Amino acid sequence: MSASSRPRQRTLADRGIDGVTLLVLPAALFVVLLFVYPFVYGLLLSFAPKEGGWLGNYAKFFSDPYMYGTIWLTLRLALPVTLLNIALSVPVAMQVRHMRRQRLLTTILVLPITLGTVLVAEGLLNYLGPQGWLNRLLILFGLIDRPIRLVHNYWGVFISLVITGFPFTFLLTLSMISGIDPALEQAAATLGARARQRFFNIVLPLIVPGLAVTFCLAFVDAFSVFPSAVMLGAPAGETRVISFAAAQAAFEQYDYSYASAIAMIMAVVQFGFVGLVLTARGLFYNGPAGGGKG
């Protein structure tokens, strides 16, 4: 039998399968195993309470003010921290993009990411505590008579979240602002537009869609706060965040079904805020952040 008469083996393309697409399968499997499966398992487990019907865990949570109050306490931390980090990242990124030593300054600003939440919280305990460097310096210069309480309360957690969250929002904001074509601002300046006018009429409309996504990512990160709330806050009081309530249910009460229900409520709140922000984003200009650069 000649080579031309042999039946040709069917390739993946003949079967309608793109070989390049198969390269995504390992990553997809990784996502399913580490994210999708635990989420689905936790969701199903939340509907299997120790007592009551299939909604027993959710009824238990929302019937206890001490428990559903953790939603407000967490939002009271996450929302101001997220807004402050974005408000700080925009002017800092506007200045950094024109600096000659941009890489050096960017490295310094993102350093808290490499330290980790626990290490930052430990450092703040030593720096902001009653006998910390800050209080000692203020007393030494006669600015205060007694130490200011900046740890084991709301402000300790707030400061920690700002320090650990700012580098993330700054990097995202810097990438958006750096992608705007400088010719747009130069043209506006040639026509007599001042710096404030250029920012509000050119830069801000271009980065608002990106800032909305940045807000969502930063909010989800801040809303899931746990180590800072325990080490720098008051877990039994004003910083009893919802993640701490879930941890107590799982590792103190050993009620994993109830802990899963709290985690699902936490996820619903996060998804709800993300959905609202992304929906509101459509009210602004949603063109390309690059502004035609390149």
Side-chain angles (χ1 to χ4, degrees):
M1 182 181 294
S2 62
S4 59
S5 61
R6 295 176 183 175
R8 185 175 66 90
Q9 294 183 351
R10 297 184 64 190
T11 62
L12 292 176
D14 296 333
R15 295 183 174 90
I17 301 175
D18 185 5
V20 178
T21 306
L22 294 178
L23 299 176
V24 183
L25 288 180
L29 182 62
F30 179 83
V31 171
V32 169
L33 291 177
L34 291 186
F35 295 98
V36 177
Y37 170 74
F39 181 84
V40 174
Y41 178 80
L43 179 63
L44 296 177
L45 185 62
S46 69
F47 292 114
K50 290 183 177 180
E51 300 176 356
W54 61 286
L55 291 176
N57 284 327
Y58 296 94
K60 179 181 178 181
F61 181 88
F62 287 106
S63 63
D64 186 355
Y66 188 61
M67 293 301 295
Y68 67 71
T70 58
I71 298 176
W72 161 245
L73 293 177
T74 311
L75 290 174
R76 184 168 166 259
L77 273 168
L79 282 175
V81 165
T82 304
L83 292 173
L84 179 60
N85 277 333
I86 290 179
L88 292 175
S89 66
V90 172
V92 173
M94 290 287 292
Q95 294 297 322
V96 169
R97 66 171 178 163
H98 296 304
M99 291 184 177
R100 298 177 61 182
R101 299 185 179 274
Q102 182 183 130
R103 292 184 179 180
L104 176 61
L105 184 58
T106 301
T107 302
I108 295 174
L109 290 174
V110 302
L111 187 62
I113 292 180
T114 64
L115 299 178
T117 307
V118 175
L119 190 58
V120 170
E122 184 67 27
L124 288 177
L125 281 174
N126 296 324
Y127 185 75
L128 301 179
Q131 299 298 322
W133 298 352
L134 179 62
N135 277 309
R136 288 185 179 182
L137 286 175
L138 293 177
I139 294 175
L140 178 64
F141 288 106
L143 299 176
I144 58 175
D145 297 326
R146 54 184 178 180
I148 302 174
R149 188 185 175 198
L150 292 174
V151 294
H152 304 305
N153 57 9
Y154 173 87
W155 293 109
V157 185
F158 185 91
I159 295 172
S160 175
L161 289 177
V162 170
I163 292 175
T164 56
F166 174 77
F168 180 70
T169 56
F170 166 73
L171 287 177
L172 294 176
T173 306
L174 180 62
S175 65
M176 290 184 293
I177 293 179
S178 299
I180 297 176
D181 192 345
L184 297 175
E185 292 183 79
Q186 293 171 3
T190 302
L191 296 173
R194 298 181 178 180
R196 177 176 295 185
Q197 293 174 318
R198 296 197 300 269
F199 174 77
F200 283 104
N201 293 295
I202 297 176
V203 177
L204 186 60
L206 288 172
I207 65 174
V208 160
L211 286 180
V213 176
T214 301
F215 176 90
C216 294
L217 296 176
F219 171 78
V220 169
D221 180 61
F223 193 84
S224 59
V225 56
F226 181 78
S228 300
V230 175
M231 298 177 66
L232 292 168
E238 58 183 339
T239 63
R240 189 174 186 269
V241 293
I242 190 170
S243 59
F244 182 75
Q248 279 187 315
F251 303 113
E252 293 183 13
Q253 304 171 13
Y254 298 102
D255 191 344
Y256 298 108
S257 176
Y258 187 41
S260 297
I262 298 175
M264 292 302 110
I265 294 171
M266 182 178 175
V268 168
V269 175
Q270 290 176 321
F271 288 147
F273 269 87
V274 169
L276 286 175
V277 172
L278 294 182
T279 301
R281 183 181 63 167
L283 300 176
F284 297 92
Y285 173 75
N286 56 2
K293 184 176 180 179

